[in-house]
Amino acid sequence: DADVTQTPRNRITKTGKRIMLECSQTKGHDRMYWYRQDPGLGLRLIYYSFDVKDINKGEISDGYSVSRQAQAKFSLSLESAIPNQTALYFCATSDPLLSNTQYFGPGTRLTVL
Amino acid sequence: SQKIEQNSEALNIQEGKTATLTCNYTNYSPAYLQWYRQDPGRGPVFLLLIRENEKEKRKERLKVTFDTTLKQSLFHITASQPADSATYLCALEPGGYNKLIFGAGTRLAVHP
């Protein structure tokens, strides 16, 4: 079984809708991250969490919110989706004892019409 | 401004040759640098990490160098195979922030 899973894998939605992307991990890591990837721009950090009570904004947090429900679960929400949030979204975990090497999920392809 | 640069143009090479990818950075002093492989539609997968006090790191056909004076890392794949075709990302951690900054990646295509 995959160590980091994401649901849904693909989602098409309309402008203004609320969307939640979910991430679960079985690696036992405290640290979790949400990234978006756009062609030519690479991975950009949206939010990150170093434990259940710790939530931090990343480089591009505007328009997004997150919830860390448990050590194993980290959800990303788009409160009111807009077309420029169309992207590939990745969840990742890391172990600080391994120099923050990131373990990524398979990604969610989100299209906002 | 702080940034990481990887060659945005795809690198096309013949099978069996050595592929060399470049990662340059400015205004950082990272303690280490990481390389990841990403296949289309999939999440990146960690390959290698090299620390600032290591000049070279090897893993099977992969070799990474790290020159903190030039602010550059080179990633080599020797005896390349079509299965090595993917996008390769470099990443570093700005000191003290406990999170990684990624380059945009370089796409490698190995032709039979």
PDB file of all heavy atoms in Angstrom, chain B residues 76-97:
ATOM      1  N   HIS B  76      24.556  13.607 -12.420  1.00  0.00           N
ATOM      2  CA  HIS B  76      24.978  12.802 -13.554  1.00  0.00           C
ATOM      3  C   HIS B  76      24.290  11.439 -13.523  1.00  0.00           C
ATOM      4  O   HIS B  76      24.180  10.818 -12.459  1.00  0.00           O
ATOM      5  CB  HIS B  76      26.495  12.550 -13.510  1.00  0.00           C
ATOM      6  CG  HIS B  76      27.319  13.787 -13.395  1.00  0.00           C
ATOM      7  ND1 HIS B  76      27.737  14.508 -14.499  1.00  0.00           N
ATOM      8  CD2 HIS B  76      27.803  14.434 -12.312  1.00  0.00           C
ATOM      9  CE1 HIS B  76      28.457  15.537 -14.083  1.00  0.00           C
ATOM     10  NE2 HIS B  76      28.523  15.529 -12.764  1.00  0.00           N
ATOM     11  N   ILE B  77      23.868  10.994 -14.695  1.00  0.00           N
ATOM     12  CA  ILE B  77      23.394   9.612 -14.850  1.00  0.00           C
ATOM     13  C   ILE B  77      24.294   8.962 -15.890  1.00  0.00           C
ATOM     14  O   ILE B  77      24.312   9.378 -17.054  1.00  0.00           O
ATOM     15  CB  ILE B  77      21.930   9.543 -15.339  1.00  0.00           C
ATOM     16  CG1 ILE B  77      21.013  10.331 -14.417  1.00  0.00           C
ATOM     17  CG2 ILE B  77      21.465   8.082 -15.424  1.00  0.00           C
ATOM     18  CD1 ILE B  77      19.561  10.390 -14.911  1.00  0.00           C
ATOM     19  N   THR B  78      25.058   7.983 -15.477  1.00  0.00           N
ATOM     20  CA  THR B  78      25.947   7.313 -16.416  1.00  0.00           C
ATOM     21  C   THR B  78      25.221   6.145 -17.070  1.00  0.00           C
ATOM     22  O   THR B  78      24.243   5.617 -16.525  1.00  0.00           O
ATOM     23  CB  THR B  78      27.202   6.792 -15.705  1.00  0.00           C
ATOM     24  OG1 THR B  78      26.798   5.899 -14.646  1.00  0.00           O
ATOM     25  CG2 THR B  78      28.000   7.926 -15.091  1.00  0.00           C
ATOM     26  N   ALA B  79      25.707   5.761 -18.257  1.00  0.00           N
ATOM     27  CA  ALA B  79      25.103   4.645 -19.005  1.00  0.00           C
ATOM     28  C   ALA B  79      23.590   4.793 -19.042  1.00  0.00           C
ATOM     29  O   ALA B  79      22.844   3.874 -18.671  1.00  0.00           O
ATOM     30  CB  ALA B  79      25.511   3.315 -18.392  1.00  0.00           C
ATOM     31  N   SER B  80      23.136   5.950 -19.491  1.00  0.00           N
ATOM     32  CA  SER B  80      21.711   6.266 -19.424  1.00  0.00           C
ATOM     33  C   SER B  80      20.864   5.285 -20.236  1.00  0.00           C
ATOM     34  O   SER B  80      21.309   4.716 -21.241  1.00  0.00           O
ATOM     35  CB  SER B  80      21.467   7.684 -19.897  1.00  0.00           C
ATOM     36  OG  SER B  80      21.906   7.825 -21.229  1.00  0.00           O
ATOM     37  N   GLN B  81      19.640   5.114 -19.766  1.00  0.00           N
ATOM     38  CA  GLN B  81      18.680   4.200 -20.393  1.00  0.00           C
ATOM     39  C   GLN B  81      17.385   4.947 -20.657  1.00  0.00           C
ATOM     40  O   GLN B  81      17.082   5.923 -19.961  1.00  0.00           O
ATOM     41  CB  GLN B  81      18.405   3.028 -19.443  1.00  0.00           C
ATOM     42  CG  GLN B  81      19.640   2.291 -18.986  1.00  0.00           C
ATOM     43  CD  GLN B  81      19.373   1.386 -17.792  1.00  0.00           C
ATOM     44  OE1 GLN B  81      18.255   1.299 -17.289  1.00  0.00           O
ATOM     45  NE2 GLN B  81      20.412   0.704 -17.334  1.00  0.00           N
ATOM     46  N   PRO B  82      16.610   4.484 -21.629  1.00  0.00           N
ATOM     47  CA  PRO B  82      15.306   5.150 -21.874  1.00  0.00           C
ATOM     48  C   PRO B  82      14.451   5.237 -20.613  1.00  0.00           C
ATOM     49  O   PRO B  82      13.705   6.200 -20.446  1.00  0.00           O
ATOM     50  CB  PRO B  82      14.662   4.256 -22.939  1.00  0.00           C
ATOM     51  CG  PRO B  82      15.834   3.715 -23.706  1.00  0.00           C
ATOM     52  CD  PRO B  82      16.905   3.488 -22.669  1.00  0.00           C
ATOM     53  N   ALA B  83      14.591   4.268 -19.705  1.00  0.00           N
ATOM     54  CA  ALA B  83      13.817   4.302 -18.463  1.00  0.00           C
ATOM     55  C   ALA B  83      14.230   5.442 -17.542  1.00  0.00           C
ATOM     56  O   ALA B  83      13.513   5.759 -16.581  1.00  0.00           O
ATOM     57  CB  ALA B  83      13.967   2.974 -17.721  1.00  0.00           C
ATOM     58  N   ASP B  84      15.352   6.081 -17.823  1.00  0.00           N
ATOM     59  CA  ASP B  84      15.777   7.240 -17.039  1.00  0.00           C
ATOM     60  C   ASP B  84      15.059   8.515 -17.469  1.00  0.00           C
ATOM     61  O   ASP B  84      15.201   9.563 -16.825  1.00  0.00           O
ATOM     62  CB  ASP B  84      17.293   7.464 -17.182  1.00  0.00           C
ATOM     63  CG  ASP B  84      18.113   6.322 -16.603  1.00  0.00           C
ATOM     64  OD1 ASP B  84      17.680   5.724 -15.592  1.00  0.00           O
ATOM     65  OD2 ASP B  84      19.183   6.015 -17.178  1.00  0.00           O
ATOM     66  N   SER B  85      14.309   8.447 -18.539  1.00  0.00           N
ATOM     67  CA  SER B  85      13.578   9.618 -19.037  1.00  0.00           C
ATOM     68  C   SER B  85      12.550  10.057 -18.001  1.00  0.00           C
ATOM     69  O   SER B  85      11.690   9.274 -17.589  1.00  0.00           O
ATOM     70  CB  SER B  85      12.873   9.296 -20.359  1.00  0.00           C
ATOM     71  OG  SER B  85      13.819   8.941 -21.357  1.00  0.00           O
ATOM     72  N   ALA B  86      12.669  11.306 -17.574  1.00  0.00           N
ATOM     73  CA  ALA B  86      11.809  11.861 -16.518  1.00  0.00           C
ATOM     74  C   ALA B  86      12.211  13.312 -16.329  1.00  0.00           C
ATOM     75  O   ALA B  86      13.133  13.804 -16.984  1.00  0.00           O
ATOM     76  CB  ALA B  86      11.990  11.097 -15.205  1.00  0.00           C
ATOM     77  N   THR B  87      11.544  13.979 -15.408  1.00  0.00           N
ATOM     78  CA  THR B  87      11.960  15.314 -14.989  1.00  0.00           C
ATOM     79  C   THR B  87      12.700  15.193 -13.664  1.00  0.00           C
ATOM     80  O   THR B  87      12.264  14.457 -12.770  1.00  0.00           O
ATOM     81  CB  THR B  87      10.748  16.241 -14.835  1.00  0.00           C
ATOM     82  OG1 THR B  87      10.127  16.418 -16.110  1.00  0.00           O
ATOM     83  CG2 THR B  87      11.174  17.613 -14.304  1.00  0.00           C
ATOM     84  N   TYR B  88      13.814  15.894 -13.552  1.00  0.00           N
ATOM     85  CA  TYR B  88      14.641  15.832 -12.349  1.00  0.00           C
ATOM     86  C   TYR B  88      14.643  17.191 -11.666  1.00  0.00           C
ATOM     87  O   TYR B  88      14.908  18.216 -12.301  1.00  0.00           O
ATOM     88  CB  TYR B  88      16.063  15.378 -12.717  1.00  0.00           C
ATOM     89  CG  TYR B  88      16.085  13.941 -13.186  1.00  0.00           C
ATOM     90  CD1 TYR B  88      15.841  13.627 -14.516  1.00  0.00           C
ATOM     91  CD2 TYR B  88      16.295  12.889 -12.284  1.00  0.00           C
ATOM     92  CE1 TYR B  88      15.818  12.303 -14.950  1.00  0.00           C
ATOM     93  CE2 TYR B  88      16.279  11.573 -12.706  1.00  0.00           C
ATOM     94  CZ  TYR B  88      16.043  11.284 -14.033  1.00  0.00           C
ATOM     95  OH  TYR B  88      16.013   9.975 -14.452  1.00  0.00           O
ATOM     96  N   LEU B  89      14.312  17.163 -10.395  1.00  0.00           N
ATOM     97  CA  LEU B  89      14.184  18.384  -9.601  1.00  0.00           C
ATOM     98  C   LEU B  89      15.294  18.460  -8.569  1.00  0.00           C
ATOM     99  O   LEU B  89      15.625  17.447  -7.943  1.00  0.00           O
ATOM    100  CB  LEU B  89      12.847  18.397  -8.840  1.00  0.00           C
ATOM    101  CG  LEU B  89      11.573  18.071  -9.595  1.00  0.00           C
ATOM    102  CD1 LEU B  89      10.395  17.995  -8.628  1.00  0.00           C
ATOM    103  CD2 LEU B  89      11.307  19.114 -10.660  1.00  0.00           C
ATOM    104  N   CYS B  90      15.846  19.644  -8.382  1.00  0.00           N
ATOM    105  CA  CYS B  90      16.733  19.829  -7.247  1.00  0.00           C
ATOM    106  C   CYS B  90      15.999  20.636  -6.181  1.00  0.00           C
ATOM    107  O   CYS B  90      15.049  21.370  -6.494  1.00  0.00           O
ATOM    108  CB  CYS B  90      18.045  20.492  -7.638  1.00  0.00           C
ATOM    109  SG  CYS B  90      17.917  22.200  -8.159  1.00  0.00           S
ATOM    110  N   ALA B  91      16.413  20.476  -4.950  1.00  0.00           N
ATOM    111  CA  ALA B  91      15.758  21.163  -3.838  1.00  0.00           C
ATOM    112  C   ALA B  91      16.774  21.449  -2.757  1.00  0.00           C
ATOM    113  O   ALA B  91      17.702  20.671  -2.544  1.00  0.00           O
ATOM    114  CB  ALA B  91      14.615  20.317  -3.273  1.00  0.00           C
ATOM    115  N   LEU B  92      16.583  22.560  -2.073  1.00  0.00           N
ATOM    116  CA  LEU B  92      17.463  22.880  -0.963  1.00  0.00           C
ATOM    117  C   LEU B  92      16.654  23.500   0.163  1.00  0.00           C
ATOM    118  O   LEU B  92      15.516  23.929  -0.032  1.00  0.00           O
ATOM    119  CB  LEU B  92      18.596  23.805  -1.409  1.00  0.00           C
ATOM    120  CG  LEU B  92      18.242  25.135  -2.064  1.00  0.00           C
ATOM    121  CD1 LEU B  92      17.886  26.193  -1.045  1.00  0.00           C
ATOM    122  CD2 LEU B  92      19.432  25.637  -2.891  1.00  0.00           C
ATOM    123  N   GLU B  93      17.250  23.486   1.340  1.00  0.00           N
ATOM    124  CA  GLU B  93      16.592  24.054   2.504  1.00  0.00           C
ATOM    125  C   GLU B  93      17.299  25.332   2.910  1.00  0.00           C
ATOM    126  O   GLU B  93      18.444  25.296   3.350  1.00  0.00           O
ATOM    127  CB  GLU B  93      16.620  23.056   3.661  1.00  0.00           C
ATOM    128  CG  GLU B  93      15.954  23.576   4.924  1.00  0.00           C
ATOM    129  CD  GLU B  93      15.968  22.573   6.052  1.00  0.00           C
ATOM    130  OE1 GLU B  93      15.874  21.367   5.758  1.00  0.00           O
ATOM    131  OE2 GLU B  93      16.090  22.979   7.214  1.00  0.00           O
ATOM    132  N   PRO B  94      16.631  26.476   2.751  1.00  0.00           N
ATOM    133  CA  PRO B  94      17.226  27.718   3.259  1.00  0.00           C
ATOM    134  C   PRO B  94      17.459  27.573   4.750  1.00  0.00           C
ATOM    135  O   PRO B  94      16.585  27.121   5.462  1.00  0.00           O
ATOM    136  CB  PRO B  94      16.154  28.770   2.954  1.00  0.00           C
ATOM    137  CG  PRO B  94      15.269  28.154   1.944  1.00  0.00           C
ATOM    138  CD  PRO B  94      15.296  26.677   2.191  1.00  0.00           C
ATOM    139  N   GLY B  95      18.588  27.921   5.205  1.00  0.00           N
ATOM    140  CA  GLY B  95      18.970  27.644   6.576  1.00  0.00           C
ATOM    141  C   GLY B  95      17.931  28.049   7.598  1.00  0.00           C
ATOM    142  O   GLY B  95      17.474  29.178   7.614  1.00  0.00           O
ATOM    143  N   GLY B  96      17.543  27.121   8.448  1.00  0.00           N
ATOM    144  CA  GLY B  96      16.699  27.431   9.584  1.00  0.00           C
ATOM    145  C   GLY B  96      15.211  27.445   9.321  1.00  0.00           C
ATOM    146  O   GLY B  96      14.420  27.689  10.218  1.00  0.00           O
ATOM    147  N   TYR B  97      14.786  27.211   8.099  1.00  0.00           N
ATOM    148  CA  TYR B  97      13.363  27.302   7.806  1.00  0.00           C
ATOM    149  C   TYR B  97      12.660  25.956   7.810  1.00  0.00           C
ATOM    150  O   TYR B  97      11.440  25.903   7.770  1.00  0.00           O
ATOM    151  CB  TYR B  97      13.134  27.992   6.453  1.00  0.00           C
ATOM    152  CG  TYR B  97      13.502  29.460   6.485  1.00  0.00           C
ATOM    153  CD1 TYR B  97      14.714  29.893   5.974  1.00  0.00           C
ATOM    154  CD2 TYR B  97      12.653  30.387   7.042  1.00  0.00           C
ATOM    155  CE1 TYR B  97      15.056  31.230   6.017  1.00  0.00           C
ATOM    156  CE2 TYR B  97      12.971  31.726   7.088  1.00  0.00           C
ATOM    157  CZ  TYR B  97      14.177  32.151   6.571  1.00  0.00           C
ATOM    158  OH  TYR B  97      14.515  33.476   6.605  1.00  0.00           O
TER     159      TYR B  97
END
